[in-house]
Structures are given as C-alpha cells and as structure tokens.
Amino acid sequence: SSGINAEYGGLGGNDICAGNKLLLSLLWQMMRRYTLSLMRSRTGNPLSEEEIIDWCNSKIRSDKVKNGRSCFKNFRDPSLTNSGALLDIIDIIQPGSIGYDLVLPGDNDENKMDNARYALTMARKVGATVFALPEDIVEGNHKMICLVFARLMKVGLTENPIES
C-alpha cells in the first residue's frame, strides 16, 4: 500500500471475511488510483474529477442530438442515478450503440436499476473496464460513478473504440 501513500497495518484474512472498513477503504483507494493513473492530464498528473466532469459535459453539450440534456455538476448529482448521462456518453463514444427505445424514464428505482444494468453492460461492450454494480449507480455512489465515467473517458479518448 506504500505505492499509494496509504498504510494499513494489522489487516488479515479475517478482515476480508468481516468486511473490515479499513480493508474496503484500501481496496477503493487502489481501484481509484489505478483507474486515474491510466490517464494523465496535460500537466502529466493523474486526472482530477473536475477534468472528467468537464470532458463528459463538453461531449454531451457538443453532440447535436443530446444538446446538453444530461450534463451534471458533480458525481453526487442526483440526475446521475437514472443513468441518462452514462447512456449518452456511451452513445457519443460509439454512435448508435444505445437503443434509446430500451431506456426507461428513470422515475422509480426499478426503472433506474434497469437503466443502470443496461448502461453498465453497454459500457463494457464499448470497451470500458467497469467495476461498478447497477446498485452503485442507482444509490448514487459517487466514487464508483466517477470510476465508470473515467473508464468511459479512457475509451472515448482512444483512437478506435470497439466496433459493435
């Protein structure tokens, strides 16, 4: 854990079984650090959450069809729980990949869960390595939502996204 400037002593197998919060914190830090280290900002530093948000919003605003409809302020934005922004980014990365006729209004938890399942499936289909669960999206887990958008950004910045 010294590579991420975190120190956790006294953790063992029992902590894994018990779901020790320190261990979960370490795993989260490792996933976040790994994901953000895959991409570098113009300054050479790992990307910040603000840079990911700016990239996503600029893509959504510049798309003639989406026209900014799913822009968001931060990863705690309640609008993200219906998966609209995720689906729009995926469709921008791989045009025509999202069947919007399959997307539900997202006005209740069941609709949100179905949209989140679809969004994460399609994120993987376009080449994003995603660790999040649909529950993370619906419950508004901002840390996991950030990682999903970061992975989509990585795919979106690649020359040749996966063909459908």
Side-chain angles (χ1 to χ4, degrees):
S1 64
S2 62
I4 62 171
N5 296 324
E7 293 183 25
Y8 292 92
L11 292 176
N14 290 339
D15 295 303
I16 294 171
C17 292
N20 184 316
K21 292 219 183 252
L22 289 176
L23 181 62
L24 294 175
S25 173
L26 174 64
L27 290 174
W28 155 247
Q29 288 179 50
M30 290 169 56
M31 284 190 328
R32 183 176 191 278
R33 179 69 146 230
Y34 171 71
T35 298
L36 296 180
S37 74
L38 293 175
M39 302 181 304
R40 299 279 178 197
S41 67
R42 290 187 178 119
T43 63
N45 296 322
L47 280 180
S48 69
E49 289 186 9
E50 291 77 25
E51 289 171 302
I52 297 166
I53 292 166
D54 290 346
W55 182 85
C56 291
N57 284 336
S58 72
K59 290 291 182 189
I60 293 167
R61 277 191 205 99
S62 66
D63 186 275
K64 291 183 186 341
V65 175
K66 278 89 176 147
N67 198 25
R69 71 177 174 209
S70 58
C71 288
F72 54 97
K73 296 177 187 134
N74 55 52
F75 293 117
R76 294 177 193 265
D77 193 317
S79 70
L80 294 175
T81 63
N82 73 9
S83 301
L86 282 172
L87 292 164
D88 283 349
I89 288 293
I90 294 164
D91 197 58
I92 290 166
I93 291 169
Q94 187 79 45
S97 63
I98 298 300
Y100 282 99
D101 56 324
L102 301 173
V103 178
L104 301 170
D107 51 5
N108 62 51
D109 285 345
E110 187 177 332
N111 283 180
K112 289 178 181 182
M113 187 63 75
D114 288 342
N115 287 347
R117 283 187 193 104
Y118 183 48
L120 294 177
T121 297
M122 295 310 294
R124 290 180 182 106
K125 188 173 180 182
V126 300
T129 304
V130 177
F131 302 114
L133 299 172
E135 291 83 357
D136 292 321
I137 307 303
V138 174
E139 293 169 7
N141 181 337
H142 67 280
K143 293 176 179 179
M144 294 306 283
I145 291 171
C146 173
L147 293 184
V148 174
F149 278 107
R151 297 300 260 182
L152 287 169
M153 182 178 174
K154 174 131 178 76
V155 172
L157 292 172
T158 342
E159 290 290 323
N160 300 310
I162 305 296
E163 296 296 321
S164 53

